[in-house]
Amino acid sequence: MRFFEIVVIVFNLLLIGWILVAKKKPVPWLLIGFGVSTILILIHGVIEGWRWQMIPAYVMTVVPLVAVAGRLLFKSEQSAERVVTKASRVKRIALITLAVIYSSVAVALPLILPVFTFEEPTGPYKIGTVTYDWKDQARDETFTPDPGDKRELMVQIWYPADAQAEGETELYFSNPDVFVEGYSKLLNMPKLLFTTFAYVKTHAIENAAISNREPSYPVLIFSHGFSGHKNQNTFQIEHLVSHGYIVVGIDHTYSSTASVFADGRVANFVPQDTESIAYLDKANEGWVADAKFVLDQVEKLANNDPDRRFTGRMDMSNVGMFGHSFGGATSAQMLMSDSRIKAAINMDGILYGKQRIPAEGMKKPFMMMSADDSIEVKNTADTVSVQIIEETLPRYKHVAVGGNYWMKIKDMKHMGFSDLYLFSPIYEKLERVDARKAHRLINDYTQDFFDHYLKQQPFKLLEQNMGEHPAFELEKG
């Protein structure tokens, strides 16, 4: 919960407890309690924003007024403090029981559906961000009926910002209503459950000055999973940027939760045949084309940025790529097909795409991160998933060949590689995943991998932690 949410709830709980337990409740004190509670709620609303999950806590504010009204019904202090009968004792116990139940709901709702936060980045840099709307005039858009429609992509770039950078940090979603609708449809759950997205903040400052601490910074391309979005791995992106990387996130239009273009147009997710391996192999070619086009545009920025932010500041001789799920598969394909990509990480992505990993390995630095749950064939009613795993597992045969790495994370699920489980602790409980612990592990090893291959720094973790560990198994070919 946010700070003032906690203050409001704690104060109102103490106030109700006092009203129920205290024998004497002077009217002036009841009115003061009401006034303080009202002021706290107003401060909370102005600074943090009101939300429906806090309604039970807000309602507690009127309890002192109800108590005052009850006092006024009595004609005298003696009648108000009359001898307690058996019936009145039962009534009192019932009121206390109802108050406890109601208070439990008031506390549970904002805890179950919190305005989640991202952990403070551990690196020395602050984080700047800027967003672009890029159109590839060389490619037709195949998801729309308009024959003249060209492929258009929303791209967000995060970069190391000056230590003195100041400004309002960006919201997780600049258009929360669009993504509330998108998540509701994709997960088949009520919109109300996702309204907290409107309040979630990141650590990024829009248009902040780029840091002069280093002359240039390695560039990483990020590709999301099917129905994901360009900032679905904010936990990881912010960590990498704080340690001196420029990260470029792509929204793969019509395959993302939603893409909101610069002029306000919205391209929502288009359902696709995710049960066909042949279809997904072909679809991946489009994602690879997206990544290549974005990399072309990034090169232009590095050479001559109209805003003078990135000119000469992007180290285009050290470019890597990472992605989750289908975006992870895209990263592997880019490593094999685009000479500009020097190193890549695939986070739990089935190895879809045109090319297969050769028997001699990638011959370029590569790391596969897998959830143990994703590479096990288990007894389940989902026969399609079992079939896909069985048919694609042979594609992993040469993953670690040639000195590359395969990390298998234990007690992990597919979506644990994204921000999703931060949305509610219920997700973590149901999936039995400690999301923040998993994120720290992912961040540490992602940074170690790219630090070595793109910054030429010695390994601190990968080479030192081969084999079996309580949280993971690490293999090197």
Side-chain angles (χ1 to χ4, degrees):
M1 285 188 287
R2 297 173 292 178
F3 176 76
F4 282 104
E5 288 181 349
I6 295 172
V7 172
V8 167
I9 288 176
V10 169
F11 182 83
N12 282 350
L13 287 175
L14 292 173
L15 188 59
I16 289 176
W18 172 68
I19 291 170
L20 289 173
V21 174
K23 292 182 178 180
K24 291 184 179 181
K25 297 175 280 290
V27 170
W29 284 104
L30 290 170
L31 293 176
I32 290 171
F34 167 73
V36 172
S37 180
T38 301
I39 290 170
L40 289 174
I41 288 176
L42 288 173
I43 293 172
H44 149 64
V46 171
I47 295 177
E48 298 175 334
W50 295 294
R51 60 189 185 108
W52 72 264
Q53 292 87 349
M54 287 287 292
I55 288 176
Y58 301 154
V59 172
M60 288 181 180
T61 300
V62 304
V63 172
L65 293 183
V66 173
V68 169
R71 291 292 301 273
L72 294 177
L73 291 176
F74 297 109
K75 292 182 179 180
S76 66
E77 189 69 22
Q78 289 76 20
S79 63
E81 296 178 359
R82 65 189 181 279
V83 177
V84 179
T85 64
K86 184 177 180 180
S88 66
R89 282 198 299 270
V90 172
K91 183 178 179 181
R92 185 180 181 82
I93 292 171
L95 283 173
I96 292 174
T97 302
L98 287 173
V100 169
I101 293 172
Y102 186 86
S103 299
S104 299
V105 172
V107 172
L109 262 180
L111 284 175
I112 291 171
L113 295 171
V115 177
F116 67 86
T117 58
F118 294 103
E119 291 189 342
E120 196 71 27
T122 59
Y125 296 97
K126 286 192 176 182
I127 299 165
T129 188
V130 63
T131 303
Y132 297 92
D133 184 335
W134 287 335
K135 185 174 286 189
D136 187 353
Q137 298 293 346
R139 285 194 297 156
D140 293 332
E141 179 53 78
T142 60
F143 285 99
T144 60
D146 184 356
D149 198 6
K150 298 299 181 181
R151 184 68 169 164
E152 188 173 0
L153 301 170
M154 289 304 299
V155 173
Q156 186 168 358
I157 300 180
W158 295 264
Y159 54 91
D162 189 272
Q164 306 305 317
E166 294 183 356
E168 189 72 17
T169 53
E170 288 285 282
L171 290 170
Y172 188 47
F173 292 121
S174 56
N175 302 87
D177 291 346
V178 172
F179 287 88
V180 166
E181 179 80 25
Y183 269 81
S184 175
K185 287 182 178 178
L186 289 169
L187 299 178
N188 195 26
M189 297 169 71
K191 293 181 187 178
L192 276 176
L193 297 179
F194 304 101
T195 54
T196 54
F197 286 162
Y199 306 101
V200 176
K201 285 196 168 187
T202 68
H203 295 98
I205 302 170
E206 187 174 14
N207 295 319
I210 192 168
S211 174
N212 290 319
R213 184 168 176 167
E214 297 181 49
S216 63
Y217 301 93
V219 176
L220 299 173
I221 308 295
F222 173 71
S223 180
H224 62 73
F226 240 114
S227 75
H229 46 88
K230 62 182 181 295
N231 55 326
Q232 67 159 56
N233 279 51
T234 292
F235 82 90
Q236 185 180 25
I237 290 169
E238 291 194 337
H239 175 84
L240 289 166
V241 174
S242 78
H243 285 275
Y245 289 90
I246 293 174
V247 179
V248 182
I250 308 169
D251 263 343
H252 295 280
T253 315
Y254 298 109
S255 296
S256 63
T257 312
S259 292
V260 183
F261 298 115
D263 60 4
R265 288 174 295 119
V266 177
N268 291 306
F269 176 75
V270 173
Q272 296 168 52
D273 188 1
T274 55
E275 297 181 355
S276 166
I277 295 174
Y279 175 86
L280 293 171
D281 280 341
K282 183 66 178 176
N284 190 259
E285 294 179 28
W287 285 44
V288 169
D290 285 348
K292 288 179 181 291
F293 166 71
V294 167
L295 192 48
D296 291 342
Q297 299 305 110
V298 169
E299 285 183 327
K300 292 178 182 178
L301 282 180
N303 291 326
N304 185 19
D305 181 358
D307 296 324
R308 300 181 180 180
R309 179 180 294 108
F310 296 120
T311 304
R313 306 307 305 278
M314 293 173 157
D315 182 359
M316 300 308 295
S317 62
N318 285 293
V319 179
M321 186 165 178
F322 66 109
H324 170 238
S325 193
F326 207 66
T330 305
S331 299
Q333 291 293 319
M334 281 289 288
L335 185 65
M336 289 187 283
S337 65
D338 195 311
S339 61
R340 294 172 293 182
I341 302 297
K342 306 302 182 185
I345 296 176
N346 176 347
M347 294 182 292
D348 214 42
I350 291 175
L351 293 168
Y352 294 118
K354 185 177 181 180
Q355 299 189 61
R356 298 288 164 264
I357 299 176
E360 63 274 18
M362 293 274 202
K363 296 183 178 179
K364 292 167 78 174
F366 177 68
M367 180 160 69
M368 183 82 198
M369 289 182 172
S370 298
D372 57 355
D373 183 72
S374 300
I375 52 176
E376 295 176 359
V377 179
K378 299 177 291 186
N379 293 324
T380 173
D382 189 353
T383 55
V384 173
S385 294
V386 170
Q387 182 182 352
I388 288 176
I389 292 173
E390 287 179 336
E391 290 187 25
T392 56
L393 270 180
R395 299 183 180 188
Y396 293 78
K397 184 177 181 180
H398 307 299
V399 159
V401 172
N404 288 326
Y405 305 91
W406 190 358
M407 172 180 275
K408 301 169 187 177
I409 302 178
K410 299 176 182 179
D411 301 317
M412 185 62 160
K413 302 286 184 179
H414 184 63
M415 295 309 297
F417 287 90
S418 72
D419 300 331
L420 183 64
Y421 291 159
L422 299 177
F423 160 67
S424 172
I426 291 179
Y427 267 123
E428 291 184 283
K429 295 298 182 184
L430 290 175
E431 298 293 350
R432 298 178 182 178
V433 173
D434 185 335
R436 294 195 185 273
K437 182 179 177 181
H439 288 173
R440 292 184 202 111
L441 179 68
I442 293 166
N443 284 347
D444 288 344
Y445 280 83
T446 298
Q447 182 191 343
D448 196 49
F449 176 82
F450 285 129
D451 277 355
H452 181 75
Y453 291 111
L454 300 184
K455 291 188 175 185
Q456 294 73 50
Q457 295 181 5
F459 282 120
K460 296 178 181 178
L461 296 170
L462 276 167
E463 288 296 328
Q464 293 87 337
N465 289 294
M466 289 296 158
E468 192 83 19
H469 298 273
F472 64 92
E473 177 188 348
L474 185 58
E475 171 189 345
K476 180 181 179 182

